[in-house]
Amino acid sequence: MIKNSMISTIAISALLFVFIFGTFFCAKPGGMGAKDILVWVSYGPDEMKVFNDIAEKWSKENKNGFTVHVAQIPWMGQESKYRTSLIAGSPPDIGRVDTTFVPELAYNQILEDVNKFIEEEAAAKKIGTNEILAEYVPAAIDSCIIHEKSGKNCIYGFPDQTNGACLFYNKDLFRQAGLDPDKAPKTWADFLEYAKKLTNKDADRFGFGMDNSLWWSFPFFNTYGTKFLSDDGQKCLLNSQEAKDALQFKVDLFRKYAVEGGAWASGGQNTETGFMNGRYAMILMGPWNVSRFKNAKINFAVSLVPEGPKGTSTNVGGTNMVIFKKKRTPDQLKACYEFLRHLTSADIQAEWGSKLRQIPVNLKAYDKIKIDDTEEASILKVFMEQMKTAQPRPKVLKYAQLETLINPEMEAALSGAKTVEQALNAACGRIDAEALK
Amino acid sequence: MMDKANESLVKYNKQITKAILYAFLTLGALVVLFPLFWMILTAFKVSGTAFKLHFFPNAGEKLYTFENFSKVLSEFSFMKYFFNSIIVASLAAIFATAFSCMAGYVFAKKEFIFKEYLFYLLVATMMIPGMMYLVPQFVITIKLGWFDTYQGLIIPHLANIFGVFMMRQFMRSIPDSLIEAARLDGASEWQIFTIIIVPLAMPIIVTLLLLTFLFHWSNFIWQLVITKPGSSILTLPVGLAYFSGPHGSEWEMMMAASCFSIIPIAVLFLVAQNFFIEGMTKGAVKE
């Protein structure tokens, strides 16, 4: 009896404790003042160090006395975090978001258009606004620009990170196949010849490992000159001849020439793992895996995506820094813009690229990058070169929906369940009906 | 002579059956333990080599390290997240179980108007996906002023319909005669509940406690949205998410942190395993 009543007393006391003192141990709500700017970022530990330094220096040096406060949020679940903070009416001033999230935020009219500040800056510098936009990697700045139905172009923030895929190849496997490890395939025709030589099924080795998602298929579509959407953004054009040729080539790599090792199929060894284990001699991959492959002691090199009928090109990924609409003074809003311009300036981007081995978003920073490791420097140079011809992703409200609609169709083509034409017609039909309606 | 031969044949058959059974059990155990082994192995691997399928380092190659563990404990605020998770998961599990227990008892043994309708209405809400509640629950929590507080982390999840359902089903099997006898002996309602019902329902209570603890220990999305970035009450699931980026995860670090994070769950299961197994199998036995 005594034991039971003791347990009950303890339990009720604990509940009361949580109710009454639950807030006691928590950080008190940090009130943001008129001279404060709150930035939410989802960087990794190394990036955080560099970003914090940049923010701290700017806070000390900006002449209007604004202070940038940086808060780290996890990449995973960040969209839910932004959505709920918007519901609560407490979004940050500036947030780092995936490029594909920008159209949805813009559609809901919760982002600040920075056009007027760009115009003011251009007028002060006596240059055209286009000159300011031309500082940035074209595909990266394009992800910030939303064409309104009224014909107006709104610019929602600036890109802070950009990336795309290049061709990674295993130099040791090139040597074993009698290929020159310093000479990467220049065109898709060369690529096919290389892949044939590199494939040795007895040794469970394939010339190529490829992913099947839309994002990873863009290098194929783009090099064949495929246009994804009509100019008004109302119709999917992915059943054009260029798109069919691009997907046919992709399908042939697996089905006709059997030089692709099935990395795209469920249960297949994915491209990264297969490349690290020597199963795939060539893969398309982004810069984020360079250090991982180096740590794993893979003897590899990086080259431009092989040229198709329209030359070399790649996909574009990355993140943008956007300014959320909220109650603030005009000076605060201007300070947000100035901080973003500072973050994406040539000098800061050169510092960012040099320290983190990442592609700068500012083209003027390309020549200012200083990396001691010559191998890493040359790899970054290839990526920077590739980004000049990268094509922006189609801007739709929900990009993930496009992937959901088209990926099963491409898989059907790869597995032989549908012809390329059937697959692309079906994908276009579904995209028109479900994503663009 | 024949009997002896038969006996040895039966013995031999039994041994063969036993050997086959053990072989299958060993195989099953290996399958179940493999992810655990993989987690521990990856936790010791050098950064970037998680998916490298060779396990014995070549000459001069460093494949294994303790660095991930030391980094997790020093650079990553692991102890803070761990402590917060212990508080949130323990309190939520204790109170959700206690409330489920009380509600289950009422639905099983008490009579009141629209009891059955109310119960099935509550059970029907289990069919609504949890994500649907996220926004309304978030808005209510904000209005209560519980954003970024322990209350906000714990209290919104204390009403557990699944728990009520589990308790009610179990408590219905407790004979009414026991309750009546206690009442005749002069026991109060609270005494009937604490002295008769709770001890008899202990296996199912412990099972629910473990399941609720497990749910809160790994509940990521609520704990992410209801806390401020950089808050002092961030929990382990949110902390672990910092190891994931847009292009993959720091698997080695994540696995090192996971090695620590499974300790409370493992300890709880070891301590309460008898109750847990009894609770899980109780429903399968028909009197």
Side-chain angles (χ1 to χ4, degrees), chain A residues 140-205:
Chain A
I141 190 69
D142 190 81
S143 64
C144 299
I145 303 171
I146 303 288
H147 309 287
E148 301 263 305
K149 277 185 182 164
S150 61
K152 188 187 161 202
N153 283 346
C154 294
I155 303 169
Y156 295 112
F158 294 99
D160 72 301
Q161 265 189 344
T162 190
N163 56 53
C166 279
L167 185 75
F168 282 58
Y169 61 92
N170 186 316
K171 289 165 87 171
D172 291 338
L173 296 182
F174 263 48
R175 250 183 230 111
Q176 283 174 31
L179 296 165
D180 181 355
D182 295 321
K183 203 178 158 199
K186 195 168 164 31
T187 64
W188 283 123
D190 297 340
F191 172 85
L192 180 58
E193 289 312 308
Y194 277 50
K196 282 178 182 170
K197 285 181 185 165
L198 288 159
T199 300
N200 179 353
K201 282 181 194 154
D202 295 333
D204 193 32
R205 182 167 302 141

Side-chain angles (χ1 to χ4, degrees), chain A residues 365-384:
Chain A
Y366 275 26
D367 299 328
K368 297 182 174 185
I369 297 264
K370 281 177 193 148
I371 297 175
D372 295 335
D373 185 328
T374 50
E375 193 189 347
E376 286 201 20
S378 71
I379 289 173
L380 188 62
K381 209 172 165 188
V382 175
F383 275 104
M384 293 195 294

Side-chain angles (χ1 to χ4, degrees), chain A residues 170 173 195 198-201 203-210 254 258-265 267-283 298, chain B residues 53:
Chain A
N170 186 316
L173 296 182
L198 288 159
T199 300
N200 179 353
K201 282 181 194 154
D204 193 32
R205 182 167 302 141
F206 293 87
F208 187 47
M210 69 184 176
F254 176 71
V259 295
E260 199 282 330
W264 58 274
Q269 199 170 124
N270 72 39
T271 50
E272 290 162 63
T273 310
F275 189 70
M276 283 169 79
N277 293 310
R279 189 164 194 264
Y280 311 132
M282 297 186 282
I283 58 168
I298 311 291
Chain B
L53 298 176

Side-chain angles (χ1 to χ4, degrees), chain A residues 166-167 184-186 302-307 312 382-383 385-386:
Chain A
C166 279
L167 185 75
K186 195 168 164 31
V302 177
S303 74
L304 298 178
V305 170
E307 290 174 12
T312 181
V382 175
F383 275 104
E385 186 61 28
Q386 186 73 75

Side-chain angles (χ1 to χ4, degrees), chain A residues 326-390:
Chain A
K326 64 191 284 190
K327 270 188 188 170
R328 58 160 84 81
T329 63
D331 282 351
Q332 255 179 319
L333 181 58
K334 193 167 185 200
C336 291
Y337 169 80
E338 283 169 358
F339 174 68
L340 290 189
R341 283 287 290 150
H342 173 76
L343 178 69
T344 56
S345 64
D347 289 341
I348 296 297
Q349 282 298 303
E351 182 189 337
W352 186 273
S354 305
K355 286 182 178 167
L356 297 165
R357 274 75 165 143
Q358 289 182 3
I359 305 164
V361 294
N362 192 315
L363 293 168
K364 287 180 181 170
Y366 275 26
D367 299 328
K368 297 182 174 185
I369 297 264
K370 281 177 193 148
I371 297 175
D372 295 335
D373 185 328
T374 50
E375 193 189 347
E376 286 201 20
S378 71
I379 289 173
L380 188 62
K381 209 172 165 188
V382 175
F383 275 104
M384 293 195 294
E385 186 61 28
Q386 186 73 75
M387 290 314 293
K388 289 178 183 171
T389 53

